[in-house]
Amino acid sequence: MARSDGRLLLFAVAVALLAIQCRCQSFGMKQKVTNLHFFFHDILSGDKPTSVQVAAPKNLSSLVKEKLFGTIFVIDDPLTEGPEADSKVLGSAQGYYIIAGQDSPMLVLAADYGFTTGPYNGSSFSVFSRNPVMDTDRELAVVGGRGAFRMAQGIAKLHTHSIDATTGDAVVEYNVTLLHYE
C-alpha cells in the first residue's frame, strides 16, 4: 500500500469513528470508562476441565518447533474475585484459543467475558487478540461489548498469577479498561 493510501485509510477510519460517536450521542448515549479487576481460571486437567482441545493438525511435528502449533481449544473459564479456586464467581469467559506460534507458544484468543452477578450481570465484553502466554505481563485488545459495555473498546492487562507446568492449568489476573456507551 502506498503511503498516501495508508493516510487515506486512516482518515476514513477516523471519520467512521467520529460518525459512530456522534450517532451514539444523538441517541442519548453517554461515553463512559469502566475499570474491571478479576481472575481467569483456565483448567485443562481433572474431572471438570474448563478448557478442552477440539482440534489438532496432523504430521506437523517435524515441520515446526512448537509441537502444538495449529491446536484449537474451546473454553468456558470461570472469572472470580480472587485467585483462589473457591473465590466468588463473577461470570465466565467463553470462546476459543488457537496456538498460532510456530516457534513458541503464542495464542490467538477470541472470547466473550460475561458477568452473571453484581452491577454488570448480563453484560459482557469481547476480546480478539494475540496472547503471548509465555510473557508474565501482556495486553489484549477489547473489540466489543453488550449490555452495560455496549460498543466497548479498550485493553485488558494480564498478569500470570500462577501456572502448573505439568497440567497447564493457569490463573491469570485481569485489569481491564473499557471505553463504552451507556
Side-chain angles (χ1 to χ4, degrees):
M1 180 172 5
R3 186 179 200 134
S4 62
D5 291 342
R7 287 182 184 158
L8 182 59
L9 178 61
L10 184 60
F11 176 74
V13 168
V15 168
L17 289 173
L18 182 60
I20 290 169
Q21 184 176 8
C22 290
R23 186 166 189 156
C24 287
Q25 289 173 348
S26 71
F27 287 123
M29 297 167 71
K30 295 180 184 174
Q31 200 169 50
K32 184 177 179 180
V33 175
T34 299
N35 294 300
L36 303 169
H37 178 259
F38 55 85
F39 291 83
F40 169 99
H41 299 256
D42 193 47
I43 309 302
L44 290 97
S45 67
D47 296 333
K48 194 173 179 187
T50 63
S51 178
V52 295
Q53 180 179 322
V54 295
K58 294 182 181 180
N59 305 322
L60 276 182
S61 60
S62 64
L63 303 175
V64 295
K65 182 178 173 185
E66 174 53 48
K67 302 303 180 204
L68 293 175
F69 175 70
T71 303
I72 301 172
F73 290 83
V74 172
I75 64 169
D76 187 0
D77 291 336
L79 308 176
T80 63
E81 279 186 349
E84 303 81 16
D86 61 352
S87 185
K88 180 181 177 186
V89 175
L90 303 174
S92 64
Q94 296 174 319
Y96 60 90
Y97 56 83
I98 301 168
I99 299 183
Q102 291 187 26
D103 297 321
S104 65
M106 175 67 66
L107 306 182
V108 172
L109 173 68
D112 187 76
Y113 293 71
F115 295 88
T116 56
T117 62
Y120 305 118
N121 184 16
S123 298
S124 69
F125 66 88
S126 299
V127 166
F128 184 79
S129 194
R130 185 174 187 234
N131 185 355
V133 293
M134 297 308 288
D135 295 349
T136 301
D137 295 297
R138 53 208 183 270
E139 190 173 287
L140 306 180
V142 174
V143 297
R146 62 180 182 78
F149 306 131
R150 186 172 295 113
M151 297 179 65
Q153 57 185 348
I155 57 168
K157 292 185 177 184
L158 281 59
H159 173 78
T160 301
H161 180 270
S162 63
I163 188 162
D164 184 317
T166 303
T167 64
D169 294 353
V171 177
V172 180
E173 182 177 18
Y174 273 65
N175 284 293
V176 182
T177 300
L178 301 174
L179 176 62
H180 57 95
Y181 291 89
E182 56 178 8

